[in-house]
Amino acid sequence: MAALHAALDAIEADPGVRAVILTGAGHRAFSAGADIHAFAPIIARGEAMQGFVRPGQALTARIEAFPKPVICAVNGLAYGGGCEVLEAAPLAVAAAHATFAKPEIKLGFPPPFGGTQRLARLIGRKRALAMILSGAPIAADEALALGLVNRVVAPDALLDAAMAMAAGIIAHAPAAVAASLAAVTRGLNLSIAEGLAVEAAAFGSLLHTADLREGIAAFRERRPPQFSGR
């Protein structure tokens, strides 16, 4: 978790990096979740909140609010904390063999990295509770049908599909991408009136930018726009 935070710090500060693809090594797992053998002593010492829950929630919150698009390329198991990272990310592509699960209930606790909150917002209360209370895995095609991922592709096409998704996003103005990400994420938990105010503020923040002027000029002149950061 600390290494991911450090990587995100560096990426956020680097204007040359416009999108993030998060994937696992090899083909078995995107993330199989917490190392329970390492977690057990933390529980025994009474340090679970400060040593496990709060750092995990901070990481998923950082991914959810990140100003550059984070695309999960799910190359295998996305279990426990790995599934919660996926839920926090705005976009995801999955390999056809990927599986998704919330197995924490089998260990005697609820999902602690935001999974009880984000999953229900993503797929609905009853579907979320079916996953959380059973701990049973679901396949990639069901995850697609539920809205957990955007696409399912063959395993050897996974990173190419994620790169293509990123390329389609970074063709647009960086500030407009960041404003869209922030407005959608912030508005999810607000009333429609409050969400519309967030949307209006996001639009207003771009009114005097060179990229907005360029986008409108390019449309009127029937040419590709030349946005900053490209």
Side-chain angles (χ1 to χ4, degrees):
M1 289 189 284
L4 279 172
H5 269 296
L8 291 172
D9 286 343
I11 290 165
E12 186 171 2
D14 187 348
V17 179
R18 297 280 311 282
V20 180
I21 295 171
L22 187 60
T23 194
H27 299 286
R28 180 178 178 271
F30 170 73
S31 171
D35 181 342
I36 303 305
H37 296 293
F39 175 51
I42 296 175
I43 289 281
R45 293 194 301 267
E47 299 172 356
M49 295 303 295
Q50 67 268 32
F52 183 70
V53 174
R54 292 193 183 104
Q57 289 187 348
L59 176 63
T60 54
R62 181 78 190 285
I63 290 168
E64 183 176 52
F66 202 64
K68 301 177 183 184
V70 178
I71 302 167
C72 288
V74 186
N75 57 311
L77 303 174
Y79 282 18
C83 195
E84 288 170 305
V85 166
L86 166 71
E87 293 155 21
L91 298 163
V93 181
H97 71 284
T99 55
F100 307 78
K102 315 288 291 182
E104 294 93 343
I105 196 78
K106 298 180 179 181
L107 298 171
F109 59 89
F113 292 179
T116 64
Q117 303 304 303
R118 291 191 182 93
L119 187 62
R121 287 168 168 80
L122 283 171
I123 69 174
R125 175 172 170 259
K126 287 181 170 59
R127 289 169 172 172
L129 282 170
M131 287 187 67
I132 291 168
L133 296 179
S134 71
I138 63 171
D141 57 351
E142 185 173 356
L144 177 63
L146 292 175
L148 268 179
V149 300
N150 298 93
R151 289 186 63 193
V152 174
V153 299
D156 59 359
L158 179 65
L159 288 181
D160 286 342
M163 290 290 288
M165 182 178 285
I169 295 168
I170 66 174
H172 305 302
V177 171
S180 297
L181 286 167
V184 170
T185 299
R186 288 183 59 198
L188 278 175
N189 301 324
L190 301 175
S191 69
I192 186 65
E194 292 169 319
L196 289 172
V198 169
E199 180 180 270
F203 182 86
S205 70
L206 303 178
L207 277 177
H208 303 294
T209 62
D211 278 342
L212 178 58
R213 293 193 295 272
E214 168 61 13
I216 292 172
F219 179 85
R220 297 181 71 185
E221 296 164 13
R222 300 187 179 185
R223 61 173 174 81
Q226 297 297 314
F227 292 125
S228 63
R230 291 184 61 183

